[in-house]
Amino acid sequence: MHKLDALFKEHQGDAEIFKQLVITINPTDGAELAQDLIDLVDQVEYDLGSESLHRSEGYSIAHFVHGSSGDEFMQAILDFLKNLVPDIHTQAWGYGDDDPWEFWFKFEGMNLFVKMMNRSMT
């Protein structure tokens, strides 16, 4: 968990540091998984750097700010984490500041389930 926490805090926008941190977690597939994620996001510093990260009940909770691509980036991060550490329990919730939608992502086994909702309807 400490390595995963460091992954989203220590790279300071440097893609090579991000890759090296990923390789310490998964030496076999880490470099390729990291590069795929780096290629997908707009900026490593902002899209793969959490605004905050803390622990609760044995879980790490990271807060990201992504803008209009938030749901796409969160799905990519969750897929990345699940491929990096297949036994991980990972999920996400997010919402749009300017849009009335929110999203939930949750894995059951290796299948990612997505729920999108219009907040103005709840």
Side-chain angles (χ1 to χ4, degrees):
M1 286 302 296
H2 292 291
K3 288 181 180 182
L4 288 171
D5 290 349
L7 181 60
F8 295 108
K9 294 301 290 177
E10 293 183 6
H11 60 75
Q12 303 297 310
D14 187 321
E16 289 305 314
I17 292 173
F18 184 83
K19 281 191 231 177
Q20 290 306 311
L21 291 166
V22 171
I23 290 168
T24 67
I25 298 167
N26 184 329
T28 306
D29 301 319
E32 182 179 347
L33 292 169
Q35 190 61 56
D36 289 346
L37 184 61
I38 289 166
D39 291 344
L40 183 92
V41 300
D42 296 329
Q43 295 180 359
V44 172
E45 180 177 9
Y46 301 111
D47 298 327
L48 299 180
S50 63
E51 294 281 319
S52 65
L53 194 142
H54 69 276
R55 295 268 183 110
S56 178
E57 303 295 323
Y59 291 94
S60 292
I61 301 168
H63 173 241
F64 291 87
V65 176
H66 288 123
S68 63
S69 297
D71 57 330
E72 294 172 37
F73 290 163
M74 283 313 307
Q75 182 172 352
I77 290 170
L78 291 181
D79 285 333
F80 162 78
L81 289 170
K82 194 66 168 173
N83 288 313
L84 187 67
V85 184
D87 293 337
I88 196 171
H89 174 87
T90 184
Q91 60 190 41
W93 168 79
Y95 66 94
D97 288 346
D98 299 326
D99 299 316
W101 54 266
E102 65 183 305
F103 57 86
W104 296 84
F105 294 117
K106 179 181 178 184
F107 275 97
E108 290 186 17
M110 290 301 286
N111 297 316
L112 181 62
F113 290 89
V114 180
K115 182 173 183 176
M116 302 290 275
M117 297 182 354
N118 185 328
R119 290 188 301 168
S120 65
M121 308 286 281
T122 58

